[in-house]
């Protein structure tokens, strides 16, 4: 399998949304790396549309959940139903048992619902009472969230944020892209959206994941990855200001994610080995939700992305 085999998926997503190439690449990297994706952006930026387009391109079950403050854990997991004819309880599976799950506006649900999602994302299983149920082999959560400054939103727990392999940020389109969005909307009003030319089978996807795992990662780049993650925990060793701005650094999951996603990025680029550029290109999406800045940094207007950019410029490349 080669990256050209994913072209039909990329083309279908691009036919539904205009621009946002970095976001599309993040979805594909996350898919190839067998991880979950958190997507943040203001309302109306086609986050949900893009995720739906990805789901349409892949063979498997898809389900969308609109997260709201009154959502219950059983609305995700499922529940035991008593069957009078059998005289016993029977488990009815919830939406988490689908292959692709769109958790729309995930940060509008309370803590109990987030906890229910946590086991599924981390362990690929669901526990109800004394029974544990495995999830499908292909299981991916694509969660969208509005910025926490929006009314009625909650901060996601750090433990759950760490389970997301990547966090993509969707920004406003430029003027030319917005004109093309108007043209696309007019066309879709006249004609139904075109379905994908072909759907990627799960067997093909798993073969791609095996091919990604075979991409060569030099041991020196393993050291570079660890140095980057260590630098988020001890930033004052690299820069005095960085030390003032960071409260908590990234966990070892960030090191694993950097290696996995760098391999996927290299494979998408048609390369057979990972370079420092591949690591640096995926680092912002992997680190931005795993680093907690200080109040001092927020007061000075320092963003997590600015912190990561400066860190990447200071850590030595092998």
């Amino acid at each position: 399998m080669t990256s050209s085999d994913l072209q039909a998926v990329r083309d279908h997503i691009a036919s539904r949304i205009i621009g946002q190439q970095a976001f599309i690449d993040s979805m594909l990297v996350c898919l190839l790396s067998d991880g979950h994706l958190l997507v943040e952006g203001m309302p109306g930026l086609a986050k949900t549309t893009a995720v739906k387009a990805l789901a349409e391109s892949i063979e498997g079950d898809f389900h969308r959940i609109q997260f709201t403050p009154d959502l219950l854990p059983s609305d995700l997991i499922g529940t035991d139903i008593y069957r009078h004819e059998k005289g016993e309880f029977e488990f009815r599976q919830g939406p988490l048992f689908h292959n692709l799950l769109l958790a729309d506006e995930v940060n509008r649900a309370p803590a109990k619902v987030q906890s229910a999602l946590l086991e599924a994302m981390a362990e690929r299983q669901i526990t109800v009472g004394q029974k544990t149920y495995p999830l499908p082999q292909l299981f991916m959560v694509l969660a969208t969230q509005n910025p926490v400054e929006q009314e009625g939103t909650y901060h996601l727990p750090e433990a759950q944020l760490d389970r997301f392999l990547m966090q993509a940020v969707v920004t406003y389109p430029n003027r030319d892209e917005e004109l093309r969005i108007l043209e696309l909307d007019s066309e879709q009003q006249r004609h139904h959206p075109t379905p994908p030319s072909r759907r990627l089978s799960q067997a093909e996807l798993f073969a791609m994941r095996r091919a990604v795992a075979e991409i060569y990662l030099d041991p020196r780049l393993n050291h570079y990855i660890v140095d980057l993650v260590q630098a988020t925990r001890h930033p004052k060793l690299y820069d005095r200001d960085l030390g003032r701005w960071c409260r908590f650094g990234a966990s070892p999951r960030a090191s694993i994610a950097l290696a996995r996603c760098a391999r996927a990025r290299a494979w998408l680029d048609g390369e057979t080995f990972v370079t420092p550029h591949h690591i640096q290109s995926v680092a912002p999406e992997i680190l931005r939700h795993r680093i907690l800045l200080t109040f001092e940094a927020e007061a000075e207007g320092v963003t997590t992305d600015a912190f990561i950019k400066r860190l990447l410029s200071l850590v030595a490349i092998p």
Side-chain angles (χ1 to χ4, degrees):
M1 304 296 291
T2 64
S3 57
S4 60
D5 296 308
L6 262 184
Q7 193 59 45
V9 176
R10 187 189 293 273
D11 291 344
H12 180 65
I13 299 174
S15 71
R16 294 295 181 88
I17 63 172
I18 301 299
Q20 306 293 359
Q21 289 303 311
F23 175 33
I24 295 175
D25 286 344
S26 294
M27 287 196 295
L28 296 180
V29 167
C30 214
L31 180 69
L32 291 169
S33 303
D34 191 17
H36 309 293
L37 178 66
L38 178 63
V39 187
E40 181 176 306
M42 297 295 287
L45 296 182
K47 302 186 297 296
T48 303
T49 302
V51 172
K52 284 184 176 180
L54 175 65
E56 291 170 357
S57 306
I58 300 173
E59 181 186 86
D61 298 326
F62 169 71
H63 194 87
R64 174 183 180 274
I65 304 175
Q66 184 66 46
F67 277 56
T68 57
D70 61 347
L71 203 67
L72 298 174
S74 59
D75 295 327
L76 298 182
I77 298 173
T79 187
D80 286 322
I81 304 296
Y82 184 73
R83 298 294 186 184
H84 290 280
E85 63 276 13
K86 297 180 179 180
E88 60 185 25
F89 285 93
E90 180 180 301
F91 179 64
R92 178 176 293 177
Q93 295 181 349
L96 287 180
F97 287 87
H98 290 77
N99 298 117
L100 295 171
L101 178 70
L102 170 57
D104 213 1
E105 296 187 309
V106 67
N107 59 331
R108 291 193 180 275
K112 281 188 176 181
V113 177
Q114 306 297 347
S115 298
L117 188 59
L118 184 62
E119 181 186 10
M121 293 174 61
E123 308 295 336
R124 305 298 177 98
Q125 65 182 27
I126 293 297
T127 301
V128 180
Q130 297 181 344
K131 292 186 178 180
T132 298
Y133 303 89
L135 293 174
Q137 184 179 2
L138 172 58
F139 175 69
M140 181 179 182
V141 175
L142 299 109
T144 69
Q145 70 169 9
N146 297 329
V148 293
E149 290 80 8
Q150 296 289 311
E151 185 177 355
T153 58
Y154 303 84
H155 280 283
L156 293 180
E158 285 76 10
Q160 183 177 352
L161 284 173
D162 203 27
R163 261 68 174 191
F164 283 103
L165 186 71
M166 305 174 73
Q167 180 186 0
V169 175
V170 182
T171 57
Y172 286 114
N174 59 37
R175 188 176 187 278
D176 291 339
E177 289 173 343
E178 197 150 357
L179 285 172
R180 291 166 57 199
I181 289 172
L182 289 178
E183 295 170 1
L184 178 63
D185 181 67
S186 298
E187 181 181 341
Q188 290 181 345
Q189 285 183 338
R190 295 191 301 269
H191 309 285
H192 291 294
T194 305
S197 57
R198 64 181 296 271
R199 300 183 75 191
L200 186 73
S201 70
Q202 292 189 29
E204 290 174 316
L205 175 58
F206 295 146
M208 290 178 182
R209 288 179 175 177
R210 290 192 294 270
V212 167
E214 294 297 324
I215 295 293
Y216 178 70
L217 180 65
D218 192 278
R220 290 173 295 177
L221 292 183
N222 277 331
H223 287 277
Y224 179 53
I225 287 172
V226 172
D227 287 343
L228 282 175
V229 176
Q230 288 283 331
T232 67
R233 303 172 198 162
H234 311 289
K236 63 182 179 182
L237 299 179
Y238 293 85
D239 184 273
R240 180 178 172 181
D241 286 333
L242 291 181
R244 293 191 299 109
W245 293 339
C246 185
R247 290 177 61 195
F248 299 105
S251 73
R253 285 195 185 97
S255 301
I256 297 171
L258 279 169
R260 284 188 182 182
C261 293
R263 282 190 170 99
R265 180 71 265 180
W267 187 84
L268 283 173
D269 289 345
E271 304 287 352
T272 58
F273 57 91
V274 175
T275 68
H277 169 72
H278 295 131
I279 297 171
Q280 293 181 338
S281 65
V282 299
E285 285 79 8
I286 290 169
L287 295 176
R288 65 164 54 108
H289 59 295
R290 293 184 165 97
I291 295 174
L292 187 61
L293 299 183
T294 62
F295 295 112
E296 188 175 359
E298 295 178 6
E300 295 180 18
V302 177
T303 64
T304 307
D305 282 359
F307 177 91
I308 295 169
K309 183 178 180 180
R310 189 160 174 178
L311 199 68
L312 288 172
S313 69
L314 294 173
V315 178
I317 300 174

